[in-house]
Amino acid sequence: MKKAVIVTGASSGIGAATAEIFSENGYFIFLLGRNEDRLQQVALRCRNGSSLLKADLAKAESLSKYSQHLSTRKDVQIEVLINNAGQFQIEDFASGSLETWKTQFAVNLFGAVAWTQACLPFLLKSGRGSIVNVSSTLGAKPITGTSAYSASKAAMNNWTQAMALELGPKGIRVNAVSAGIVDTPIHGFHALPDGEKKAVLDNMGKLQPLGRIGSVQDIAKAIYFLASPDSAWTTGANLHVDGGINLT
Ligand SMILES: NC(=O)c1ccc[n+]([C@@H]2O[C@H](COP(=O)([O-])OP(=O)(O)OC[C@H]3O[C@@H](n4cnc5c(N)ncnc54)[C@H](OP(=O)(O)O)[C@@H]3O)[C@@H](O)[C@H]2O)c1
């Protein structure tokens, strides 16, 4: 039976790169996101088979029907879940709104929690499940204007450890990757005209101990390592893949 991975937020950025790495390593990929056109583009690059799950993780109550779709694929064994979907909004706390907090927690935390609960029966059945949560350096050390986002990732970090404790004895490993800054559509600067964008990226790169910002592949490779048997004795870890920025 073919091994399978579920990647949330697979339609773009880090999630799309992660789907490709798993595909290169022989996995069937369940690609979850809201934008079907972009999911289809990623599916074209997944040569070992894929299936689209057009779902909004902010609507936690509707997720069970998507997990039912997982059970229709009798030809694959789901071994890995990557909770990567996320939203990032910058807002001054003092003048900000509770809505900003609710929106980001709805996707970054509650969506991931609800989807993980829906997927757990499949991971348990495989007998060697692995979950990787995509967190952020901001979850450990926030910066101005990111209170809601940073708090949602801090909660994800703690939840990662709690799951590692509870699910370890059931054969499931749970780890997190705390990503540093990566050029993806989640950032406003991603859509800047080329010249302007290069200046922004160069300036941000100079702030990183390793002298550059990250690529989607930098993060995807770390996610794959934590999901794969190469990290078989690792659970509850939070791997910072951030050019060293958490040390500054
Ligand atoms: N880029 C960075 O600098 C950075 C740094 C640290 C951590 N991260 C984390 O990395 C993860 C991936 O972000 P990215 O940088 O790759 O950004 P991205 O390119 O904007 O990708 C975000 C993904 O999340 C999905 N998504 C958002 N809201 C969703 C919802 N309600 N339901 C289902 N899917 C949803 C999007 O898909 P649809 O639009 O199709 O729904 C998209 O595929 C996020 O968790 C982010 O917090 C990123």
Side-chain angles (χ1 to χ4, degrees):
M1 203 179 295
K2 199 178 263 191
K3 57 195 176 178
V5 56
I6 305 164
V7 182
T8 75
S11 59
S12 176
I14 293 166
T18 302
E20 283 184 57
I21 284 199
F22 276 95
S23 182
E24 284 160 15
N25 284 281
Y27 282 78
F28 181 94
I29 326 279
F30 290 97
L31 302 156
L32 187 147
R34 292 167 303 176
N35 187 307
E36 195 169 352
D37 289 344
R38 287 204 305 261
L39 286 173
Q40 271 166 358
Q41 291 303 312
V42 178
L44 291 175
R45 304 198 290 272
C46 293
R47 303 265 163 79
N48 273 299
S50 63
S51 180
L52 307 194
L53 298 166
K54 185 174 177 292
D56 184 346
L57 288 176
K59 297 183 178 148
E61 66 289 346
S62 66
L63 294 179
S64 63
K65 74 172 177 230
Y66 300 105
S67 54
Q68 280 160 23
H69 170 76
L70 299 175
S71 58
T72 63
R73 293 297 308 226
K74 306 288 182 209
D75 55 330
V76 303
Q77 173 159 281
I78 299 168
E79 295 181 359
V80 180
L81 167 62
I82 310 297
N83 286 314
N84 163 76
Q87 290 185 13
F88 175 63
Q89 288 170 263
I90 293 182
E91 186 178 78
D92 173 59
F93 178 69
S95 59
S97 73
L98 184 58
E99 266 327 291
T100 307
W101 281 74
K102 284 184 179 168
T103 307
Q104 286 176 94
F105 268 74
V107 181
N108 299 356
L109 187 67
F110 299 131
V113 168
W115 182 240
T116 299
Q117 285 176 328
C119 295
L120 264 182
F122 301 96
L123 296 169
L124 288 166
K125 198 171 152 201
S126 80
R128 51 172 176 198
S130 182
I131 298 171
V132 180
N133 289 334
V134 181
S135 187
S136 163
T137 51
L138 300 179
K141 192 175 174 190
I143 56 170
T144 303
T146 67
S147 57
Y149 176 82
S150 297
S152 73
K153 295 298 191 182
M156 176 180 250
N157 293 346
N158 191 280
W159 170 54
T160 301
Q161 293 178 328
M163 275 200 295
L165 282 170
E166 286 195 27
L167 298 178
K170 298 180 195 297
I172 297 183
R173 297 185 303 113
V174 190
N175 294 289
V177 170
S178 278
I181 193 143
V182 177
D183 177 17
T184 73
I186 208 167
H187 295 294
F189 64 74
H190 181 77
L192 285 174
D194 282 353
E196 253 178 85
K197 184 168 157 177
K198 185 176 179 316
V200 172
L201 297 185
D202 286 350
N203 282 333
M204 281 190 305
K206 286 180 195 145
L207 300 174
Q208 321 294 316
L210 287 182
R212 65 168 175 87
I213 69 162
S215 68
V216 290
Q217 286 79 18
D218 288 325
I219 311 301
K221 284 177 192 167
I223 293 170
Y224 182 75
F225 166 70
L226 283 176
S228 78
D230 283 349
S231 61
W233 208 47
T234 302
T235 196
N238 188 335
L239 180 59
H240 282 260
V241 184
D242 64 356
I245 195 74
N246 69 91
L247 302 171
T248 63

